[in-house]
Amino acid sequence: MQALWMVLAAFVFASMGVCIKIASAYFNSAELVFYRGLIGMAFLAVLARSQGVSLKTAYPGMHAWRSTIGVTSMGAWFYAIAHLPLATAMTLNYMSSIWIAAFLVGGALLAWRPGSGLAPLQQGPLVLTVMAGFVGVVMVLRPSLDQNEMFAGLIGLLSGLGAAFAYMQVMALGRIGEPEARTVFYFAVGSAAVGGVAMLITGVSEWHWAHAGWLLPIGVLAALGQLFMTRAYSSAKTQGAMLTVANLQYSGIVFAAVYSLVLFGDSISALGWTGMALIMASGIAATVLRAKAAPNAPAEEH
């Protein structure tokens, strides 16, 4: 069942991407971040209450930092979804595992000293994984260069980098015993706060109820996706099951590609498909290798 929960989570996140892409025609990224956070707050407050989880925290500073990073990443991802094919934007956001692998490699190299017994060559598999992932990025973005979408592609790539930083902060919160429902709730609070402030700069779009109808599923699907992902990880009792669940999150790229082709009529070249496959393979490899360094890591978020 844990595999089914993760596939369902990936499908929900891809479906949220569809709603974001449609809503982005009527609302700017700041508004989408604000409403996503506002709706998520209400949903998660009810969820936390039903689970008996208190929303009071002793670590407001850590939550504020996690929210700042996460909201920045999310805003960049929403911008990429609005200006790139959905499959491309989703793929770039799923680069977070490869960015984390790059951080692990960099940390190991910085910590290495002659005679310390830590051989840099032991990081070879991770280095190859990172290199393959970035080759995949070049292949995915190459078709976009001809369409003057380079800036949006870079923003999408940065969304994956931000997601990696946010994930490491989530790991830190998990280690000190913060429940995931509380962590996700404060992320929603941060989203509403930062989005609201950003709206003072970007302005507010004209309100139409027919268009606003796309805002509700964005918040609800985001919360449901996180809930399903949490259920998947909590149901996995062995290391093998955990790795299977973690790797199945990449099925979200497949769902996004189907949505791109069927709903939006996007054209993905053979080079783009190959790049997406390479990023998926690199992400799976990075997840497996990362599990050796952080076997009890929490779920990644989208």
Side-chain angles (χ1 to χ4, degrees):
M1 283 300 294
Q2 61 264 24
L4 180 60
W5 282 117
M6 178 53 81
V7 172
L8 185 58
F11 174 74
V12 168
F13 282 129
S15 301
M16 181 186 71
V18 171
C19 297
I20 292 169
K21 191 165 186 66
I22 295 174
S24 65
Y26 314 111
F27 301 95
N28 60 51
S29 295
E31 292 173 294
L32 294 177
V33 169
F34 171 75
Y35 290 115
R36 192 264 198 206
L38 196 65
I39 296 168
M41 280 174 56
F43 188 93
L44 289 163
V46 173
L47 177 64
R49 185 178 180 85
S50 68
Q51 294 177 342
V53 176
S54 171
L55 295 178
K56 184 178 180 180
T57 179
Y59 310 99
M62 292 184 68
H63 282 287
W65 178 237
R66 180 265 179 272
S67 294
T68 300
I69 301 172
V71 172
T72 302
S73 170
M74 183 170 63
W77 184 38
F78 285 7
Y79 180 90
I81 289 177
H83 295 87
L84 292 171
L86 179 61
T88 301
M90 291 287 289
T91 302
L92 294 175
N93 186 257
Y94 274 90
M95 278 285 293
S96 56
S97 286
I98 299 172
W99 280 114
I100 293 171
F103 298 155
L104 291 175
V105 171
L109 292 178
L110 289 174
W112 180 76
R113 296 290 184 274
S116 64
L118 299 173
L121 291 178
Q122 291 178 350
Q123 301 298 324
L126 270 177
V127 172
L128 292 176
T129 296
V130 172
M131 292 175 63
F134 283 104
V135 169
V137 169
V138 172
M139 297 171 73
V140 166
L141 291 182
R142 179 72 179 178
S144 299
L145 293 177
D146 299 331
Q147 304 169 21
N148 298 317
E149 295 174 345
M150 183 61 180
F151 180 74
L154 291 175
I155 294 297
L157 188 59
L158 289 176
S159 77
L161 175 61
F165 278 117
Y167 173 71
M168 290 190 294
Q169 188 66 12
V170 170
M171 287 179 64
L173 286 165
R175 288 195 183 105
I176 60 176
E178 285 290 89
E180 187 159 350
R182 185 185 299 160
T183 299
V184 178
F185 171 78
Y186 280 110
F187 175 53
V189 172
S191 300
V194 174
V197 172
M199 285 167 60
L200 298 176
I201 301 172
T202 62
V204 179
S205 303
E206 186 177 353
W207 185 271
H208 295 284
W209 283 105
H211 302 160
W214 291 103
L215 298 173
L216 180 61
I218 290 175
V220 172
L221 289 173
L224 284 177
Q226 196 61 50
L227 178 63
F228 294 155
M229 183 177 284
T230 303
R231 178 68 62 86
Y233 276 98
S234 62
S235 302
K237 304 301 183 183
T238 65
Q239 183 69 12
M242 290 285 285
L243 286 175
T244 299
V245 166
N247 289 330
L248 281 173
Q249 68 177 310
Y250 290 95
S251 61
I253 295 177
V254 178
F255 291 129
V258 173
Y259 277 138
S260 282
L261 295 173
V262 176
L263 296 182
F264 303 109
D266 294 329
S267 177
I268 304 175
S269 68
L271 187 65
W273 283 111
T274 304
M276 289 167 59
L278 188 55
I279 290 174
M280 288 176 64
S282 300
I284 290 171
T287 301
V288 173
L289 293 170
R290 190 184 71 212
K292 298 179 181 179
N296 296 317
E300 292 183 52
E301 297 178 13
H302 297 280

